mmCIF file of all heavy atoms in Angstrom:
data_model
loop_
_atom_site.group_PDB
_atom_site.id
_atom_site.type_symbol
_atom_site.label_atom_id
_atom_site.label_comp_id
_atom_site.label_asym_id
_atom_site.label_seq_id
_atom_site.Cartn_x
_atom_site.Cartn_y
_atom_site.Cartn_z
ATOM 1 N N THR Y 189 -20.663 -7.283 3.496
ATOM 2 C CA THR Y 189 -21.511 -6.300 4.192
ATOM 3 C C THR Y 189 -22.956 -6.612 3.791
ATOM 4 O O THR Y 189 -23.212 -7.663 3.211
ATOM 5 C CB THR Y 189 -21.178 -4.854 3.733
ATOM 6 O OG1 THR Y 189 -21.554 -4.715 2.359
ATOM 7 C CG2 THR Y 189 -19.691 -4.545 3.871
ATOM 8 N N ASP Y 190 -23.860 -5.668 4.037
ATOM 9 C CA ASP Y 190 -25.237 -5.881 3.544
ATOM 10 C C ASP Y 190 -25.497 -5.110 2.240
ATOM 11 O O ASP Y 190 -26.634 -5.008 1.804
ATOM 12 C CB ASP Y 190 -26.273 -5.488 4.606
ATOM 13 C CG ASP Y 190 -26.220 -4.012 4.958
ATOM 14 O OD1 ASP Y 190 -25.363 -3.285 4.406
ATOM 15 O OD2 ASP Y 190 -27.041 -3.574 5.794
ATOM 16 N N GLY Y 191 -24.425 -4.592 1.633
ATOM 17 C CA GLY Y 191 -24.642 -3.802 0.417
ATOM 18 C C GLY Y 191 -23.691 -4.152 -0.721
ATOM 19 O O GLY Y 191 -23.363 -3.298 -1.545
ATOM 20 N N ASP Y 192 -23.265 -5.423 -0.769
ATOM 21 C CA ASP Y 192 -22.273 -5.802 -1.786
ATOM 22 C C ASP Y 192 -22.890 -5.993 -3.161
ATOM 23 O O ASP Y 192 -24.048 -6.381 -3.296
ATOM 24 C CB ASP Y 192 -21.601 -7.128 -1.396
ATOM 25 C CG ASP Y 192 -20.877 -7.031 -0.073
ATOM 26 O OD1 ASP Y 192 -19.843 -6.366 -0.036
ATOM 27 O OD2 ASP Y 192 -21.384 -7.595 0.910
ATOM 28 N N ALA Y 193 -22.058 -5.755 -4.170
ATOM 29 C CA ALA Y 193 -22.447 -6.050 -5.548
ATOM 30 C C ALA Y 193 -21.271 -6.726 -6.249
ATOM 31 O O ALA Y 193 -20.110 -6.413 -5.960
ATOM 32 C CB ALA Y 193 -22.804 -4.763 -6.285
ATOM 33 N N ILE Y 194 -21.591 -7.683 -7.126
ATOM 34 C CA ILE Y 194 -20.573 -8.223 -8.016
ATOM 35 C C ILE Y 194 -20.926 -7.776 -9.424
ATOM 36 O O ILE Y 194 -22.101 -7.524 -9.732
ATOM 37 C CB ILE Y 194 -20.435 -9.765 -7.908
ATOM 38 C CG1 ILE Y 194 -21.732 -10.481 -8.274
ATOM 39 C CG2 ILE Y 194 -20.025 -10.153 -6.498
ATOM 40 C CD1 ILE Y 194 -21.578 -12.013 -8.243
ATOM 41 N N ILE Y 195 -19.926 -7.617 -10.260
ATOM 42 C CA ILE Y 195 -20.127 -7.034 -11.592
ATOM 43 C C ILE Y 195 -19.530 -7.976 -12.630
ATOM 44 O O ILE Y 195 -18.349 -8.352 -12.532
ATOM 45 C CB ILE Y 195 -19.451 -5.631 -11.682
ATOM 46 C CG1 ILE Y 195 -20.117 -4.653 -10.710
ATOM 47 C CG2 ILE Y 195 -19.552 -5.070 -13.095
ATOM 48 C CD1 ILE Y 195 -19.466 -4.510 -9.393
ATOM 49 N N TYR Y 196 -20.367 -8.345 -13.624
ATOM 50 C CA TYR Y 196 -19.905 -9.286 -14.652
ATOM 51 C C TYR Y 196 -20.031 -8.668 -16.041
ATOM 52 O O TYR Y 196 -21.108 -8.226 -16.441
ATOM 53 C CB TYR Y 196 -20.722 -10.586 -14.578
ATOM 54 C CG TYR Y 196 -20.266 -11.629 -15.569
ATOM 55 C CD1 TYR Y 196 -18.931 -12.052 -15.597
ATOM 56 C CD2 TYR Y 196 -21.152 -12.201 -16.482
ATOM 57 C CE1 TYR Y 196 -18.502 -13.008 -16.506
ATOM 58 C CE2 TYR Y 196 -20.726 -13.172 -17.391
ATOM 59 C CZ TYR Y 196 -19.397 -13.564 -17.394
ATOM 60 O OH TYR Y 196 -18.958 -14.502 -18.298
ATOM 61 N N PHE Y 197 -18.920 -8.618 -16.754
ATOM 62 C CA PHE Y 197 -18.883 -8.147 -18.151
ATOM 63 C C PHE Y 197 -19.031 -9.392 -19.027
ATOM 64 O O PHE Y 197 -18.091 -10.183 -19.154
ATOM 65 C CB PHE Y 197 -17.552 -7.445 -18.448
ATOM 66 C CG PHE Y 197 -17.322 -6.187 -17.653
ATOM 67 C CD1 PHE Y 197 -16.881 -6.231 -16.331
ATOM 68 C CD2 PHE Y 197 -17.547 -4.943 -18.228
ATOM 69 C CE1 PHE Y 197 -16.668 -5.068 -15.594
ATOM 70 C CE2 PHE Y 197 -17.338 -3.766 -17.503
ATOM 71 C CZ PHE Y 197 -16.900 -3.827 -16.182
ATOM 72 N N ARG Y 198 -20.233 -9.561 -19.596
ATOM 73 C CA ARG Y 198 -20.520 -10.820 -20.297
ATOM 74 C C ARG Y 198 -19.595 -11.074 -21.478
ATOM 75 O O ARG Y 198 -19.027 -12.157 -21.622
ATOM 76 C CB ARG Y 198 -21.969 -10.811 -20.813
ATOM 77 C CG ARG Y 198 -23.006 -10.911 -19.718
ATOM 78 C CD ARG Y 198 -24.368 -11.153 -20.340
ATOM 79 N NE ARG Y 198 -25.434 -10.579 -19.526
ATOM 80 C CZ ARG Y 198 -26.700 -10.500 -19.902
ATOM 81 N NH1 ARG Y 198 -27.076 -10.940 -21.109
ATOM 82 N NH2 ARG Y 198 -27.610 -9.982 -19.106
ATOM 83 N N GLU Y 199 -19.476 -10.113 -22.387
ATOM 84 C CA GLU Y 199 -18.705 -10.348 -23.611
ATOM 85 C C GLU Y 199 -17.213 -10.486 -23.321
ATOM 86 O O GLU Y 199 -16.520 -11.316 -23.913
ATOM 87 C CB GLU Y 199 -18.945 -9.223 -24.639
ATOM 88 C CG GLU Y 199 -20.350 -9.244 -25.267
ATOM 89 C CD GLU Y 199 -21.438 -8.676 -24.349
ATOM 90 O OE1 GLU Y 199 -21.098 -8.123 -23.276
ATOM 91 O OE2 GLU Y 199 -22.632 -8.808 -24.703
ATOM 92 N N ALA Y 200 -16.713 -9.659 -22.424
ATOM 93 C CA ALA Y 200 -15.276 -9.717 -22.091
ATOM 94 C C ALA Y 200 -14.963 -10.879 -21.159
ATOM 95 O O ALA Y 200 -13.812 -11.294 -21.024
ATOM 96 C CB ALA Y 200 -14.848 -8.406 -21.434
ATOM 97 N N ASP Y 201 -16.013 -11.440 -20.509
ATOM 98 C CA ASP Y 201 -15.860 -12.536 -19.558
ATOM 99 C C ASP Y 201 -14.926 -12.156 -18.399
ATOM 100 O O ASP Y 201 -13.955 -12.858 -18.088
ATOM 101 C CB ASP Y 201 -15.361 -13.804 -20.276
ATOM 102 C CG ASP Y 201 -15.618 -15.069 -19.461
ATOM 103 O OD1 ASP Y 201 -16.373 -14.992 -18.468
ATOM 104 O OD2 ASP Y 201 -15.051 -16.122 -19.803
ATOM 105 N N VAL Y 202 -15.235 -11.003 -17.816
ATOM 106 C CA VAL Y 202 -14.475 -10.502 -16.662
ATOM 107 C C VAL Y 202 -15.457 -10.279 -15.509
ATOM 108 O O VAL Y 202 -16.527 -9.707 -15.700
ATOM 109 C CB VAL Y 202 -13.756 -9.173 -17.004
ATOM 110 C CG1 VAL Y 202 -13.172 -8.530 -15.737
ATOM 111 C CG2 VAL Y 202 -12.655 -9.405 -18.036
#
Side-chain angles (χ1 to χ4, degrees):
T189 67
D190 63 358
D192 299 289
I194 61 177
I195 296 95
Y196 182 55
F197 296 80
R198 290 190 210 172
E199 289 78 8
D201 199 12
V202 170

